[in-house]
């Protein structure tokens, strides 16, 4: 079980002649990932999803907040120990080609983390190859066929399976899948989604599924929890199906309404659903979504809404002054630019 409280991350402005302002990528986010649970983050590009995923896998530092891993507060631990624990949280990134060394065979690719793991667990050499075979089979690849191959000799789907297999070598508690299927051919996507789903079902590996693709989030997180993220803040959350069927925050509604892919999984990939409008990272004393919200009134532009529980459903929370269930239609919704 992972519990994250009030996580904050600011990137310094990129330097140079045109010194940019710092970017507050994550502005006090709370979430939890139950053992063997499925959690999805949805939100458009730039809202901070990847940053949270990278923090959780130890690839990025954070400014403040707490990460509790099985009750232990990682923030209090020395860096080395924190990273040691976070090895059990493995990241699957968007582009499997970039994640694999092109000059290494799949055998070499698998041996790299296993050499480390064998040392750690004091296992004999023979264990390494046996373990590599085991995890490749788990992800649906035949070790005898792929061991001698280079990444370019495999399909995108097979490459992503290798990346998943490599993550499995450390016997992870959680897989963080960051847009893990967006670069994969549509025909192969379902296979990868099913793989992630099955790893969770069969082996109890929790899944944090980060995506702009609501249909995919719904598919892998059927009995899970969705967090809708807008500009580094959670604006709505709830049990997957309930949230998708009855969102009350206009941003969630805008996201969902413009997703024709909800009918199937034939996602067009790119950010087609994005309602147009100003996207600022400024400090705000108002609702951050107000400039783009077609329902915004004066109060939204002056007073920041606190998180509230939707009556009758403890799990369903939102930050909107005027939460309103609206029927979500599968066609693009106009959001007025400010
Ligand atoms: N290393 C970095 N340095 C500076 N800004 C960054 C860095 N990484 C991300 N950002 C900024 O933080 C914000 C959130 O980015 P990111 O977490 O990648 O969002 P998402 O994954 O939702 O698209 C963006 O404004 C992005 O430009
Ligand atoms: Mg991202």
């Amino acid at each position: 079980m992972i519990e994250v409280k009030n996580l904050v991350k600011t990137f310094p402005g990129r330097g140079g002649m045109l010194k940019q302002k710092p970017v507050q990528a994550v502005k006090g986010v709370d979430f939890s990932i139950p053992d063997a649970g499925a959690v999805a983050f949805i939100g458009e590009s730039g809202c901070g999803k990847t940053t949270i995923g990278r923090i959780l896998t130890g690839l990025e530092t954070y400014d403040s907040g707490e990460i509790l891993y099985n009750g232990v507060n990682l923030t209090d631990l020395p860096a080395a120990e924190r990273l040691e624990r976070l090895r059990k949280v493995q990241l699957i990134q968007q582009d499997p080609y970039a994640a694999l060394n092109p000059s290494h065979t799949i055998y070499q690719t698998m041996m790299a983390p296993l050499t480390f793991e064998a040392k750690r667990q004091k296992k004999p050499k023979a264990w390494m190859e046996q373990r590599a075979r085991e995890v490749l089979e788990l992800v649906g690849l035949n070790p005898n066929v792929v061991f001698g191959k280079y990444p370019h000799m495999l399909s995108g789907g097979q490459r992503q399976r290798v990346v998943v297999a490599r993550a499995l070598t450390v016997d992870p508690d959680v897989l963080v899948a960051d847009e893990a299927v967006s670069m994969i051919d549509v025909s192969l996507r379902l296979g990868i989604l099913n793989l992630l789903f099955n790893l969770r079902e069969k082996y109890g590996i929790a899944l944090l599924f980060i995506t702009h693709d609501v249909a995919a989030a719904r598919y892998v997180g059927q009995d899970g929890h969705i967090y809708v993220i807008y500009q580094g803040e959670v604006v709505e959350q709830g049990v997957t199906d309930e949230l998708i069927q009855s969102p009350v925050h206009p941003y969630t509604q805008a996201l969902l309404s413009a997703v024709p892919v909800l009918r199937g999984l034939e996602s067009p990939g790119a950010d087609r659903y994005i309602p147009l409008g100003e996207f600022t990272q400024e400090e705000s004393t108002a609702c951050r979504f107000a400039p783009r919200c077609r329902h915004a009134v004066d109060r939204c532009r002056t007073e920041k809404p606190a998180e509230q529980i939707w009556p009758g459903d403890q799990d369903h929370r939102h930050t909107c002054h005027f939460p309103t269930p609206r029927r979500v239609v599968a066609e693009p919704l106009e959001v007025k630019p400010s």
Side-chain angles (χ1 to χ4, degrees), residues 11-12 14 23 25 44-51 60 281:
F11 290 105
R14 292 190 173 104
V23 177
E44 67 201 302
S45 182
C47 70
K49 306 182 298 296
T50 293
T51 303
E60 191 70 76
Q281 288 282 0

Side-chain angles (χ1 to χ4, degrees), residues 256-263 272 327-333:
L256 299 184
S257 65
V259 184
V261 294
L262 267 183
R263 295 192 210 106
R272 250 180 56 171
R327 200 173 67 91
V328 170
V329 288
E331 60 189 29
L333 183 102

Side-chain angles (χ1 to χ4, degrees), residues 8 10 22-29 44 46-47 229-235 249-251 277-294 296 299-306 319-321 335-336 338:
V8 174
T10 305
V23 177
Q24 262 215 322
V26 184
K27 306 180 180 83
V29 164
E44 67 201 302
C47 70
I229 303 184
Y230 186 72
Q231 292 193 12
E233 289 174 351
V234 174
V235 294
H249 194 292
Y251 179 63
E278 198 60 36
F279 190 112
T280 57
Q281 288 282 0
E282 306 281 313
E283 254 317 304
S284 178
T285 53
C287 170
R288 281 180 196 283
F289 187 59
R292 296 168 79 185
C293 183
R294 44 145 73 176
R299 183 174 171 207
C300 308
R301 298 184 195 96
T302 51
E303 185 189 328
K304 194 172 171 61
T319 56
C320 178
H321 286 309
V335 177
K336 277 193 228 119
S338 56

Side-chain angles (χ1 to χ4, degrees), residues 85-318:
R85 287 179 192 254
L86 289 179
R87 273 171 59 76
K88 290 284 186 182
V89 185
Q90 286 282 316
L91 183 64
I92 312 290
Q93 299 187 64
Q94 183 167 11
D95 182 0
Y97 205 71
L100 297 171
N101 186 330
S103 64
H104 281 183
T105 62
I106 302 312
Y107 180 80
Q108 290 171 309
T109 297
M110 297 302 294
M111 285 307 132
L114 279 167
T115 307
F116 189 77
E117 205 54 27
K119 216 185 253 169
R120 227 172 61 101
Q121 296 186 38
K122 303 194 172 56
K123 298 274 192 190
K125 238 182 159 165
W127 174 83
M128 288 162 44
E129 182 171 328
Q130 190 204 324
R131 181 75 182 142
R133 289 180 173 277
E134 216 172 83
V135 290
L136 284 168
E137 277 163 12
L138 272 185
V139 302
L141 293 172
N142 180 344
N144 296 328
V145 174
V146 297
F147 262 163
K149 296 204 164 153
Y150 290 90
H152 74 268
M153 299 160 86
L154 305 175
S155 74
Q158 288 172 322
R159 281 197 286 267
Q160 196 61 300
R161 284 173 196 269
V162 171
V163 173
V164 174
R166 187 176 58 181
L168 293 179
T169 56
V170 303
D171 201 7
D173 292 336
V174 186
L175 289 180
V176 176
D178 186 359
E179 305 282 7
V181 299
S182 355
M183 282 181 75
I184 290 168
D185 197 84
V186 171
S187 61
L188 303 172
R189 262 183 215 173
L190 199 56
I192 300 291
L193 293 179
N194 283 332
L195 169 63
L196 295 172
F197 188 83
N198 287 334
L199 286 173
R200 188 182 151 231
E201 289 275 289
K202 281 196 201 143
Y203 306 102
I205 302 173
L207 184 63
L208 171 56
F209 193 74
I210 297 178
T211 186
H212 63 269
D213 183 341
V214 181
R218 183 179 201 182
Y219 187 75
V220 293
Q222 284 159 23
D223 54 345
H225 198 88
I226 287 187
Y227 293 83
V228 181
I229 303 184
Y230 186 72
Q231 292 193 12
E233 289 174 351
V234 174
V235 294
E236 187 164 10
Q237 59 168 296
V239 173
T240 300
D241 270 338
E242 262 117 84
L243 185 84
I244 284 178
Q245 272 154 33
S246 44
V248 298
H249 194 292
Y251 179 63
T252 313
Q253 289 160 355
L255 273 186
L256 299 184
S257 65
V259 184
V261 294
L262 267 183
R263 295 192 210 106
L265 275 168
E266 57 283 1
S267 163
D271 305 318
R272 250 180 56 171
Y273 62 80
I274 290 188
L276 295 174
E278 198 60 36
F279 190 112
T280 57
Q281 288 282 0
E282 306 281 313
E283 254 317 304
S284 178
T285 53
C287 170
R288 281 180 196 283
F289 187 59
R292 296 168 79 185
C293 183
R294 44 145 73 176
H295 307 287
V297 297
D298 282 348
R299 183 174 171 207
C300 308
R301 298 184 195 96
T302 51
E303 185 189 328
K304 194 172 171 61
E307 187 179 77
Q308 297 165 58
I309 294 170
W310 180 247
D313 184 356
Q314 273 290 321
D315 293 322
H316 189 175
R317 289 156 195 248
H318 64 87

